[in-house]
């Protein structure tokens, strides 16, 4: 069994889209499938990412069908994955079977869109490491250096969806038999700014299923409405900060050095400009936003008009 050479303080950072796609794959699984396995995609390390090869054979001789690949980046003790897809497979008592051509086609298609991705491990649904995990992990240890195993508890054990990540560590005595052990490592959920907007929109659906009178769909907010909502949240946060400062000045609350340093950094990060300069900058950005919205509406109108004219021409002919 190949083992890991990285320190155990390795951190795995997973983007929300990966978690959503894993849950979707689990919900769409076959009735006879207990878990799903798939490929994670992300940034590319130095070198070319290998493509899965092989066939399904017995697990007792430690030969394995490529079930899934996990693609991402390893940088300064951090493994980051940003996308994934599911690979149909079947697990038996003595072997693991998977559709190899499906994995190759999807991986090559993704390489055409984003070539800066590489293999860093594999994922599976469930809350624990199974008997097949060591065999699957051995395959990925041959496909990439120091693979990481990620599990997502889709069964909601403990009323929450737990995320765990593992690395394989060697065990044994010199000159004797050796084995391996899956050791947990840190795992975090990270987001790009567009993903944060999507998460905030998804949070508005919480509680809708318990209330049948509330529609279960949520429409995205308009750009100006998002600016208004963000301004209201900013004002609320500023009010909390001002209340804290007033309490500290009036000796109603003990000051915190960490909070004071954070407020000082925040003040220094604000550009030094007058009210008129800020208003001019804000109005300029608003005008740019309104221009983009107007152009989008014009393009939409032209497309609709072109569609109607095309339908009319086809009808007349």
């Amino acid at each position: 069994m190949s083992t890991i050479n990285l320190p155990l303080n390795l951190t795995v950072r997973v983007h929300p889209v990966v978690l959503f796609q894993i849950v979707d794959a689990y919900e769409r699984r076959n009735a006879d499938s207990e878990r799903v396995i798939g490929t994670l995609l992300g940034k590319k390390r130095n070198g070319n990412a290998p493509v899965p090869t092989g066939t399904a054979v017995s697990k007792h001789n430690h030969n394995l069908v490529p079930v899934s690949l996990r693609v991402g980046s390893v940088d300064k003790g951090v493994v980051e994955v940003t996308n994934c897809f599911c690979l149909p497979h079947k697990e038996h008592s003595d072997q693991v079977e998977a559709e190899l051509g499906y994995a190759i086609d999807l991986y090559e298609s993704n390489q055409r869109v984003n070539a800066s991705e590489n293999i860093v491990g594999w994922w599976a649904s469930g809350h624990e490491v199974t008997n097949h995990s060591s065999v699957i992990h051995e395959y990925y240890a041959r496909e990439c250096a120091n693979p990481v195993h990620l599990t997502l508890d889709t069964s909601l054990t403990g009323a929450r969806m737990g995320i765990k990540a593992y690395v394989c560590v060697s065990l044994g005595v010199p000159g004797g038999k050796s084995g391996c052990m899956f050791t947990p490592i840190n795992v975090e959920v990270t987001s790009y700014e567009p993903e944060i907007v999507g998460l905030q929109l998804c949070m508005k659906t919480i509680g809708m299923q318990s209330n049948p009178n509330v529609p279960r769909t949520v429409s995205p907010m308009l750009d100006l409405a998002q600016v208004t909502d963000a301004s209201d949240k900013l004002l609320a946060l500023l009010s909390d900060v001002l209340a804290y400062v007033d309490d500290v000045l009036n000796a109603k609350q003990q000051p915190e050095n960490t909070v004071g340093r954070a407020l000082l950094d925040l003040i220094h990060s604000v550009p030094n400009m007058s009210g008129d300069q800020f208003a001019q900058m804000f109005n300029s950005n608003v005008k740019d936003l309104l221009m983009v919205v107007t152009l989008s509406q014009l393009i939409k109108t032209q497309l609709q008009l072109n569609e109607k004219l095309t339908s009319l021409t086809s009808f007349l002919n």
Side-chain angles (χ1 to χ4, degrees):
M1 171 67 68
S2 300
T3 59
I4 190 165
N5 297 320
L6 294 178
L8 295 181
N9 59 356
L10 186 71
T11 300
V12 179
R13 293 179 180 174
V14 185
H15 285 258
V17 65
V18 176
L19 304 179
F20 282 124
Q21 291 183 346
I22 293 176
V23 173
D24 181 70
Y26 180 79
E27 292 294 328
R28 297 172 182 269
R29 73 190 189 281
N30 295 330
D32 57 346
S33 299
E34 296 183 358
R35 68 170 184 168
V36 291
I37 298 176
T39 303
L40 293 177
L41 309 175
K43 298 176 183 177
K44 183 179 180 181
R45 286 182 285 172
N46 294 332
N48 296 324
V51 179
T53 57
T55 55
V57 294
S58 173
K59 96 174 189 182
H60 293 298
N61 57 12
H62 283 186
N63 293 325
L64 179 67
V65 170
V67 178
S68 64
L69 299 179
R70 178 164 175 213
V71 183
S73 65
V74 179
D75 184 19
K76 296 181 181 179
V78 175
V79 178
E80 183 177 3
V81 290
T82 57
N83 198 0
C84 73
F85 61 83
C86 177
L87 177 62
H89 82 292
K90 292 183 179 180
E91 295 184 4
H92 306 281
S93 59
D94 59 345
Q95 67 179 17
V96 178
E97 297 178 355
E99 183 59 40
L100 182 59
Y102 182 82
I104 296 175
D105 292 341
L106 285 181
Y107 184 77
E108 291 179 350
S109 299
N110 182 79
Q111 285 288 297
R112 297 175 184 175
V113 178
N114 189 354
S116 60
E117 294 182 341
N118 201 3
I119 302 172
V120 294
W122 62 288
W123 65 266
S125 63
H127 64 281
E128 61 184 5
V129 177
T130 65
N131 295 332
H132 295 94
S133 297
S134 60
V135 182
I136 299 174
H137 195 86
E138 182 182 2
Y139 169 77
Y140 289 104
R142 297 195 300 265
E143 293 295 323
C144 65
N146 305 318
V148 177
H149 179 33
L150 181 71
T151 62
L152 181 65
D153 185 9
T154 50
S155 60
L156 300 180
T157 303
R160 64 185 303 272
M161 186 173 294
I163 307 173
K164 295 181 181 179
Y166 303 89
V167 293
C168 190
V169 179
S170 61
L171 295 175
V173 295
K177 294 183 178 180
S178 62
C180 69
M181 178 180 65
F182 284 94
T183 303
I185 58 176
N186 297 328
V187 58
E188 300 174 354
V189 177
T190 185
S191 304
Y192 296 133
E193 291 185 359
E195 292 176 330
I196 295 177
V197 176
L199 290 176
Q200 292 175 348
L201 187 63
C202 293
M203 290 177 64
K204 296 181 179 180
T205 63
I206 297 177
M208 287 185 174
Q209 305 216 354
S210 60
N211 189 354
N213 297 325
V214 178
R216 297 187 179 183
T217 59
V218 177
S219 301
M221 298 174 59
L222 298 177
D223 293 335
L224 292 178
Q226 292 183 14
V227 173
T228 303
D229 185 58
S231 300
D232 294 338
K233 292 180 180 179
L234 180 60
L235 291 175
L237 294 175
L238 290 175
S239 299
D240 294 339
V241 172
L242 291 175
Y244 169 79
V245 174
D246 292 338
D247 291 341
V248 171
L249 294 178
N250 297 328
K252 295 181 180 179
Q253 186 174 351
Q254 292 294 329
E256 293 286 344
N257 294 333
T258 304
V259 177
R261 295 190 186 96
L263 291 177
L264 182 61
D265 294 338
L266 178 63
I267 293 174
H268 288 165
S269 64
V270 177
N272 187 12
M273 62 176 61
S274 62
D276 295 337
Q277 291 175 336
F278 178 80
Q280 181 179 1
M281 179 187 68
F282 180 78
N283 292 332
S284 177
N285 292 332
V286 170
K287 290 179 181 178
D288 293 340
L289 176 62
L290 292 176
M291 180 175 293
V292 172
V293 172
T294 303
L295 291 176
S296 301
Q297 294 294 334
L298 288 175
I299 294 174
K300 182 179 179 180
T301 303
Q302 288 183 348
L303 291 175
Q304 292 176 347
L305 181 60
N306 179 69
E307 182 180 358
K308 292 182 178 180
L309 291 176
T310 303
S311 300
L312 180 61
T313 303
S314 301
F315 178 77
L316 292 177
N317 293 335

